[in-house]
Amino acid sequence: MLDLVTLRRDFHMHPEVGFTEFRTATKVVEILTSLGFDVIYGQDAMDGDSRRGLPSEAVLEKAYERALSDGANPTIVEKMRGGYTAVIGVKKGKSAGPTVAFRFDMDALPVLESKDGDHFPQANGFRSHYEGNMHACAHDGHTTIGLGLAEKLADGDFFGTVKLIFQPAEEGVRGAYSIVQKGIVDDVDYIFCHHLGVGVPLGEIHGGSHGFLATTKMLAHFHGVSSHAGASPEQGKNALLGAATALLNIHAIPRFSTGSTRINVGVLEGGTAANIIPAYAKMVVETRSVSEEVNAELEQRVRNIIAHSAAMHELEHEIEVVGGAIPINYDVDMAELALEEAKQVEGFHSFVNGAYNAMGSEDASFLIKRVQDRGGKGTYMSIGTDIPAPHHHPKFDIQEAILPRSVELLNRIARRLLT
């Protein structure tokens, strides 16, 4: 029987950021296989051309080698090389029936974990072994819950099919889109996604959550010509100046009357020395809105500003989409079903059908929308756990008591729909 606490702490000690979850994903494959699941992973689980914000080859290879040194199965991890870290576990029941899917994100964050004595993982010996990376958003718990659910469903004593989707690169809203494009959820009738914490206390559950924003993350490159800043400045074409022009004008985009918006240039880099006209600059910018249509309009305005700012300074430019999400419109009856089952699980005592969780954006939205577009239903649940610090904070942690409760909840949901 899986020890959920031990498993979660192992994942916590080995946090891997988006598309580098080689050790984590390999362990997921091993456990699913041992439980009798059919396992799809590597390029069979993701559309390579649809991956967004993929790290450099050097970063991917370094993480790959680290996973091998930390015990990743060489045969399994070889199929994941290059950032193909999604894993899909499939279990068919004893006869035909619907297909129910559950999503679990696996990636960590580039956060330096606290070494303070009052930080629970530090005090109990399972602080991150990878300095600068940390499970600061409960994905170690999510992955553990997914494997606990797999163990519960391993008997196959149900009608239909279960799909367990272990997703890479949720942070930056990058990983789900490629799974959707591969067709993984095209046969799914019901899909349930969830998050631990998110301002919900232990014992409370929200059957459906909304307020997620549509978003587009863009990486813009500006290419100019270097020259001596004192002797021949007129011979240069200043890429950093073009990027700065774009930054100021992007933040001058007006608010919209048709929906709340957010916009931010989070990265601006360029130049090599004080006496050299910068030949290259890069910018990372995001748009967000409560409306998918408004976000698309914001994105187009940003693209126009970047193009015209580059043209003003005689620069070349290109823009990559490195992440994205759409709003979540959950099915109320699926939220109600989840709450009905939660009432049968010891430890849950507060039940909310739908709540506004201003969490930013979530790329589970693509999975849910695809299922709904093909006639299915889905919801996104918030499962409460008290947290000592906000998400993405160096002292973030979860209450491990929520792990078995969440497993039991998802098991009850699955068996309810597959009866």
Side-chain angles (χ1 to χ4, degrees), residues 236-292:
K237 296 179 180 179
N238 194 320
L240 186 55
L241 186 56
T245 300
L247 182 153
L248 293 173
N249 284 279
I250 286 169
H251 278 277
I253 292 174
R255 304 307 92 194
F256 278 64
S257 63
T258 52
S260 298
T261 59
R262 301 284 189 276
I263 198 156
N264 187 55
V265 176
V267 175
L268 182 65
E269 295 178 358
T272 55
N275 63 345
I276 301 173
I277 301 295
Y280 172 75
K282 76 174 184 179
M283 168 190 292
V284 180
V285 56
E286 69 169 19
T287 62
R288 296 184 196 247
S289 177
V290 294
S291 161
E292 190 174 351

Coordinates of all heavy atoms in Angstrom, one line a residue, residues 236-292:
G236 N 24.6 52.3 -35.1 CA 23.9 51.3 -34.4 C 22.4 51.3 -34.5 O 21.9 52.4 -34.9
K237 N 21.8 50.2 -34.2 CA 20.3 50.2 -34.1 C 20.0 49.6 -32.8 O 20.3 48.4 -32.5 CB 19.8 49.3 -35.3 CG 20.0 50.0 -36.6 CD 19.4 49.1 -37.8 CE 19.7 49.8 -39.1 NZ 19.2 48.9 -40.3
N238 N 19.5 50.4 -31.9 CA 19.4 50.0 -30.5 C 18.2 49.1 -30.1 O 17.1 49.6 -30.0 CB 19.4 51.3 -29.6 CG 19.6 51.1 -28.2 OD1 19.2 50.1 -27.6 ND2 20.4 52.0 -27.6
A239 N 18.5 47.8 -30.0 CA 17.4 46.9 -29.7 C 16.8 47.1 -28.3 O 15.6 47.0 -28.2 CB 18.0 45.5 -29.7
L240 N 17.6 47.5 -27.4 CA 17.0 47.8 -26.0 C 16.1 49.0 -26.0 O 15.1 49.0 -25.3 CB 18.2 48.0 -25.0 CG 17.8 48.1 -23.5 CD1 16.9 46.9 -23.1 CD2 19.0 48.2 -22.7
L241 N 16.5 50.0 -26.8 CA 15.6 51.2 -26.9 C 14.3 50.8 -27.5 O 13.2 51.3 -27.1 CB 16.4 52.3 -27.7 CG 15.7 53.6 -27.8 CD1 15.4 54.2 -26.4 CD2 16.5 54.6 -28.6
G242 N 14.3 50.0 -28.6 CA 13.0 49.6 -29.2 C 12.2 48.8 -28.2 O 11.0 49.0 -28.1
A243 N 12.8 47.9 -27.4 CA 12.1 47.1 -26.4 C 11.5 48.0 -25.3 O 10.4 47.8 -24.9 CB 13.0 46.1 -25.8
A244 N 12.3 49.0 -24.9 CA 11.8 50.0 -23.9 C 10.6 50.8 -24.4 O 9.7 51.1 -23.7 CB 12.9 50.9 -23.5
T245 N 10.7 51.2 -25.7 CA 9.6 51.9 -26.3 C 8.3 51.0 -26.3 O 7.2 51.5 -25.9 CB 9.9 52.3 -27.8 OG1 11.1 53.1 -27.8 CG2 8.8 53.0 -28.4
A246 N 8.5 49.8 -26.6 CA 7.4 48.9 -26.5 C 6.8 48.7 -25.1 O 5.6 48.8 -24.9 CB 7.8 47.5 -27.1
L247 N 7.7 48.6 -24.1 CA 7.3 48.4 -22.8 C 6.4 49.6 -22.3 O 5.3 49.4 -21.8 CB 8.5 48.3 -21.8 CG 8.2 48.1 -20.3 CD1 9.4 47.4 -19.7 CD2 8.0 49.4 -19.6
L248 N 6.8 50.8 -22.6 CA 6.1 52.0 -22.1 C 4.7 52.1 -22.8 O 3.7 52.4 -22.2 CB 6.8 53.3 -22.4 CG 8.1 53.4 -21.6 CD1 8.9 54.6 -22.0 CD2 7.8 53.5 -20.1
N249 N 4.6 51.7 -24.1 CA 3.4 51.8 -24.8 C 2.4 50.6 -24.5 O 1.2 50.8 -24.5 CB 3.6 51.9 -26.3 CG 4.1 53.3 -26.7 OD1 3.3 54.2 -26.9 ND2 5.4 53.4 -26.8
I250 N 3.0 49.5 -24.1 CA 2.2 48.3 -23.7 C 1.4 48.7 -22.4 O 0.3 48.4 -22.3 CB 3.0 47.1 -23.5 CG1 3.4 46.5 -24.9 CG2 2.3 46.0 -22.7 CD1 4.5 45.4 -24.9
H251 N 2.2 49.3 -21.5 CA 1.5 49.7 -20.2 C 0.6 50.9 -20.4 O -0.1 51.3 -19.4 CB 2.6 49.9 -19.2 CG 3.1 48.7 -18.5 ND1 2.4 48.1 -17.5 CD2 4.2 47.9 -18.8 CE1 3.1 47.0 -17.1 NE2 4.1 46.8 -17.9
A252 N 0.6 51.5 -21.5 CA -0.4 52.6 -21.8 C -1.6 52.1 -22.5 O -2.5 53.0 -22.8 CB 0.3 53.7 -22.6
I253 N -1.8 50.8 -22.8 CA -3.0 50.3 -23.4 C -4.2 50.6 -22.4 O -4.1 50.4 -21.2 CB -2.9 48.8 -23.6 CG1 -1.9 48.5 -24.7 CG2 -4.2 48.2 -24.0 CD1 -1.6 47.0 -25.0
P254 N -5.3 51.2 -22.9 CA -6.4 51.5 -22.0 C -7.1 50.3 -21.5 O -7.0 49.2 -22.0 CB -7.3 52.3 -23.0 CG -7.0 51.8 -24.3 CD -5.5 51.5 -24.3
R255 N -7.8 50.5 -20.3 CA -8.6 49.5 -19.8 C -9.8 49.3 -20.7 O -10.2 50.1 -21.5 CB -9.1 49.9 -18.4 CG -8.0 50.2 -17.4 CD -7.0 49.1 -17.2 NE -5.9 49.3 -18.1 CZ -5.0 48.4 -18.4 NH1 -5.1 47.2 -17.9 NH2 -4.0 48.7 -19.3
F256 N -10.6 48.2 -20.5 CA -11.7 47.9 -21.4 C -13.0 48.0 -20.6 O -13.1 47.6 -19.5 CB -11.5 46.4 -21.9 CG -10.6 46.3 -23.1 CD1 -9.3 46.6 -23.0 CD2 -11.1 45.9 -24.3 CE1 -8.4 46.4 -24.0 CE2 -10.2 45.7 -25.4 CZ -8.9 46.0 -25.2
S257 N -14.0 48.5 -21.3 CA -15.3 48.6 -20.7 C -16.1 47.3 -20.7 O -17.0 47.1 -20.0 CB -16.2 49.6 -21.5 OG -16.4 49.2 -22.8
T258 N -15.6 46.3 -21.5 CA -16.3 45.1 -21.7 C -15.7 43.9 -20.8 O -16.2 42.8 -20.9 CB -16.2 44.6 -23.2 OG1 -14.8 44.7 -23.6 CG2 -17.0 45.6 -24.1
G259 N -14.7 44.2 -20.0 CA -14.2 43.1 -19.2 C -12.9 43.6 -18.5 O -12.1 44.3 -19.1
S260 N -12.7 43.1 -17.3 CA -11.5 43.4 -16.5 C -10.3 42.9 -17.3 O -10.3 41.8 -17.9 CB -11.6 42.8 -15.1 OG -12.6 43.4 -14.4
T261 N -9.2 43.7 -17.2 CA -8.0 43.2 -17.9 C -6.8 43.4 -17.0 O -6.8 44.2 -16.0 CB -7.7 44.1 -19.1 OG1 -7.7 45.5 -18.8 CG2 -8.9 43.9 -20.2
R262 N -5.7 42.7 -17.3 CA -4.4 42.8 -16.7 C -3.4 42.8 -17.8 O -3.5 42.1 -18.8 CB -4.1 41.7 -15.7 CG -5.1 41.6 -14.5 CD -4.9 42.6 -13.5 NE -5.8 42.3 -12.3 CZ -7.0 42.7 -12.2 NH1 -7.7 43.3 -13.2 NH2 -7.7 42.4 -11.1
I263 N -2.3 43.5 -17.6 CA -1.2 43.5 -18.5 C 0.1 43.7 -17.8 O 0.1 44.5 -16.8 CB -1.4 44.5 -19.7 CG1 -0.5 44.1 -20.9 CG2 -1.1 45.9 -19.2 CD1 -1.0 44.6 -22.2
N264 N 1.2 43.0 -18.2 CA 2.4 43.2 -17.4 C 3.6 42.8 -18.3 O 3.6 41.7 -18.9 CB 2.5 42.4 -16.1 CG 3.7 42.7 -15.3 OD1 3.9 43.9 -15.0 ND2 4.4 41.7 -15.0
V265 N 4.6 43.7 -18.4 CA 5.9 43.3 -18.9 C 6.8 42.9 -17.7 O 7.1 43.7 -16.8 CB 6.6 44.4 -19.6 CG1 8.0 44.0 -20.1 CG2 5.8 44.9 -20.9
G266 N 7.0 41.6 -17.6 CA 7.7 41.1 -16.4 C 9.2 40.9 -16.6 O 9.9 40.8 -15.6
V267 N 9.7 40.9 -17.8 CA 11.1 40.8 -18.1 C 11.5 41.7 -19.2 O 10.8 41.8 -20.3 CB 11.5 39.3 -18.5 CG1 13.0 39.2 -18.9 CG2 11.2 38.3 -17.3
L268 N 12.6 42.4 -19.1 CA 13.2 43.2 -20.1 C 14.7 43.1 -20.0 O 15.2 43.6 -18.9 CB 12.7 44.7 -20.0 CG 13.3 45.6 -21.1 CD1 12.7 45.2 -22.5 CD2 12.9 47.1 -20.8
E269 N 15.3 42.5 -20.9 CA 16.8 42.3 -20.9 C 17.4 42.7 -22.2 O 16.9 42.5 -23.3 CB 17.1 40.8 -20.6 CG 16.6 40.3 -19.2 CD 16.9 38.8 -19.0 OE1 17.4 38.2 -20.0 OE2 16.6 38.3 -18.0
G270 N 18.6 43.2 -22.1 CA 19.4 43.6 -23.3 C 20.6 44.3 -23.0 O 20.8 44.8 -21.9
G271 N 21.5 44.3 -24.0 CA 22.8 45.0 -23.8 C 23.9 44.2 -23.2 O 23.7 43.2 -22.5
T272 N 25.1 44.7 -23.5 CA 26.3 44.0 -23.0 C 27.3 44.9 -22.3 O 28.0 44.5 -21.4 CB 27.1 43.3 -24.2 OG1 27.3 44.3 -25.2 CG2 26.2 42.2 -24.8
A273 N 27.3 46.2 -22.6 CA 28.2 47.1 -22.0 C 27.8 48.5 -22.2 O 27.0 48.8 -23.1 CB 29.7 46.9 -22.5
A274 N 28.3 49.4 -21.3 CA 27.9 50.8 -21.4 C 28.3 51.5 -22.7 O 27.6 52.5 -23.1 CB 28.4 51.6 -20.2
N275 N 29.3 51.1 -23.3 CA 29.8 51.7 -24.5 C 29.5 51.0 -25.8 O 30.1 51.2 -26.8 CB 31.3 51.9 -24.4 CG 32.1 50.6 -24.4 OD1 31.5 49.6 -24.1 ND2 33.4 50.7 -24.6
I276 N 28.5 50.1 -25.7 CA 28.0 49.4 -26.9 C 26.6 49.6 -27.1 O 25.8 49.4 -26.2 CB 28.4 47.9 -26.8 CG1 29.9 47.6 -26.6 CG2 27.9 47.1 -28.0 CD1 30.2 46.2 -26.3
I277 N 26.2 50.0 -28.3 CA 24.7 50.0 -28.7 C 24.2 48.6 -28.7 O 24.7 47.7 -29.3 CB 24.5 50.6 -30.1 CG1 25.1 52.1 -30.1 CG2 23.1 50.6 -30.5 CD1 24.4 53.1 -29.3
P278 N 23.1 48.3 -27.9 CA 22.6 47.0 -27.7 C 22.1 46.4 -29.1 O 21.2 47.0 -29.7 CB 21.5 47.1 -26.7 CG 21.8 48.3 -26.0 CD 22.4 49.2 -27.0
A279 N 22.6 45.2 -29.5 CA 22.1 44.6 -30.7 C 21.0 43.6 -30.5 O 20.3 43.2 -31.4 CB 23.3 43.8 -31.4
Y280 N 20.7 43.3 -29.2 CA 19.6 42.3 -28.9 C 19.0 42.7 -27.6 O 19.6 43.1 -26.6 CB 20.2 40.9 -28.8 CG 19.2 39.9 -28.3 CD1 18.1 39.5 -29.2 CD2 19.2 39.4 -27.0 CE1 17.2 38.6 -28.8 CE2 18.2 38.5 -26.6 CZ 17.2 38.1 -27.5 OH 16.2 37.2 -27.0
A281 N 17.7 42.5 -27.6 CA 16.9 42.6 -26.3 C 15.7 41.7 -26.4 O 15.3 41.3 -27.5 CB 16.4 44.1 -26.1
K282 N 15.3 41.3 -25.2 CA 14.1 40.4 -25.1 C 13.2 40.9 -24.1 O 13.6 41.6 -23.1 CB 14.5 38.9 -24.8 CG 14.9 38.6 -23.4 CD 15.1 37.1 -23.2 CE 15.3 36.8 -21.8 NZ 15.5 35.3 -21.5
M283 N 11.9 40.6 -24.3 CA 10.8 41.1 -23.4 C 9.9 39.9 -23.2 O 9.5 39.2 -24.1 CB 10.1 42.2 -24.0 CG 8.8 42.6 -23.4 SD 7.8 43.8 -24.3 CE 8.9 45.2 -24.2
V284 N 9.5 39.7 -21.9 CA 8.4 38.7 -21.6 C 7.2 39.5 -21.1 O 7.3 40.3 -20.2 CB 8.8 37.7 -20.6 CG1 7.7 36.7 -20.3 CG2 10.1 37.0 -21.1
V285 N 6.1 39.3 -21.8 CA 4.9 40.1 -21.5 C 3.7 39.2 -21.4 O 3.6 38.2 -22.1 CB 4.7 41.2 -22.6 CG1 4.6 40.6 -23.9 CG2 3.4 42.1 -22.3
E286 N 2.7 39.6 -20.5 CA 1.5 38.8 -20.5 C 0.3 39.7 -20.5 O 0.3 40.8 -20.0 CB 1.4 37.9 -19.2 CG 1.3 38.7 -17.9 CD 0.9 37.9 -16.7 OE1 1.2 36.7 -16.7 OE2 0.4 38.4 -15.7
T287 N -0.8 39.2 -21.1 CA -2.1 39.8 -21.1 C -3.0 38.9 -20.3 O -2.9 37.6 -20.4 CB -2.6 40.0 -22.5 OG1 -2.8 38.7 -23.2 CG2 -1.7 40.9 -23.4
R288 N -4.0 39.4 -19.7 CA -5.1 38.7 -19.0 C -6.4 39.4 -19.1 O -6.4 40.6 -19.1 CB -4.7 38.4 -17.5 CG -3.5 37.6 -17.2 CD -3.4 37.5 -15.7 NE -2.0 37.0 -15.3 CZ -1.8 35.9 -14.8 NH1 -2.7 34.9 -14.6 NH2 -0.5 35.6 -14.4
S289 N -7.5 38.6 -19.1 CA -8.8 39.2 -19.0 C -9.8 38.1 -18.6 O -9.6 36.9 -18.8 CB -9.2 39.7 -20.4 OG -10.6 40.2 -20.3
V290 N -10.9 38.6 -18.0 CA -12.0 37.7 -17.7 C -12.7 37.1 -18.9 O -13.3 36.1 -18.9 CB -13.1 38.3 -16.8 CG1 -12.5 38.7 -15.4 CG2 -13.6 39.6 -17.5
S291 N -12.4 37.8 -20.1 CA -13.0 37.4 -21.3 C -12.0 36.9 -22.3 O -10.9 37.6 -22.5 CB -13.8 38.6 -21.9 OG -14.0 38.5 -23.3
E292 N -12.2 35.8 -22.9 CA -11.3 35.2 -23.9 C -11.2 36.2 -25.1 O -10.1 36.4 -25.7 CB -11.8 33.9 -24.4 CG -10.9 33.1 -25.3 CD -11.4 31.7 -25.6 OE1 -12.4 31.3 -25.0 OE2 -10.7 31.0 -26.4

